[in-house]
Amino acid sequence: EAAYLDIAMSYVPVLRRERSDSVQRGYDDTLAVLDEIVARAAPTPVAIAVLPTELQVNSQLRASALSQLQLREQDLDLDAPARATRAHLEARGVAVIDLLPALAAAERDGNTYAPRDSHWNERGNEVAAEVLAESLEATVRRIAETRPSQPRVDAQGNGRY
């Protein structure tokens, strides 16, 4: 229990309203890697999912961590990672799927993470799968509507439109 709380507390600096220089460098490095992924995928469209930590979703775990660190809920910005990612990537035309709202809402009715584990349980996986499926379907439709129709070739080499 204590060891897992230590792990959870290690995420707190990333969520602090006041970002340290090292945390800002981490954000910048992460966004640079995402830019590289998008660049390498071009011209294929990319969607990026932002996965929350259990600390962002589980209010009891967060309260324990904040108590240990003598911090208050107001010291954190739970949406900071997703907001930074969204602002950076959407400006580049990349779809961003934020799983925090759905997982946080689902967590109110029961755990979405396995006990003392940073991975989703079955329920968390179901919630994430639903959000991803809905978001990706909408993203694919939007892409299809904005791209000009391109000829396709079947297995025999016959063009189709």
Side-chain angles (χ1 to χ4, degrees):
E1 193 77 25
Y4 187 68
L5 183 58
D6 286 344
I7 293 168
M9 288 189 305
S10 72
Y11 293 111
V12 168
V14 175
L15 302 173
R16 295 281 309 256
R17 290 191 185 279
E18 300 288 326
R19 272 189 216 151
S20 69
D21 290 342
S22 65
V23 168
Q24 185 59 54
R25 279 192 303 278
Y27 270 79
D28 295 342
D29 290 349
T30 300
L31 295 174
V33 168
L34 294 175
D35 283 342
E36 180 67 22
I37 290 168
V38 170
R40 287 184 184 202
T44 303
V46 173
I48 301 289
V50 181
L51 313 180
T53 67
E54 185 178 8
L55 189 71
Q56 291 170 273
V57 172
N58 183 327
S59 61
Q60 291 177 319
L61 176 63
R62 191 168 53 254
S64 295
L66 291 173
S67 175
Q68 288 285 319
L69 296 168
Q70 298 181 349
L71 294 171
R72 299 168 300 148
E73 186 81 27
Q74 302 91 300
D75 296 326
L76 302 182
D77 180 356
L78 301 179
D79 192 46
R83 191 174 51 254
T85 304
R86 197 170 35 250
H88 183 83
L89 292 176
E90 286 181 351
R92 289 155 175 75
V94 177
V96 177
I97 304 166
D98 182 5
L99 296 176
L100 176 59
L103 285 166
E107 184 77 15
R108 289 187 206 92
D109 297 327
N111 292 338
T112 55
Y113 285 78
R116 291 170 301 289
D117 189 342
S118 60
H119 298 89
W120 300 318
N121 60 19
E122 185 175 342
R123 188 160 174 275
N125 275 288
E126 288 173 2
V127 170
E130 288 173 18
V131 171
L132 289 169
E134 289 172 13
S135 298
L136 289 172
E137 181 180 10
T139 299
V140 168
R141 279 205 174 105
R142 200 169 41 255
I143 290 167
E145 291 169 359
T146 60
R147 286 195 151 186
S149 178
Q150 297 181 8
R152 299 181 187 176
V153 179
D154 63 20
Q156 288 76 38
N158 299 315
R160 296 179 301 161
Y161 293 86

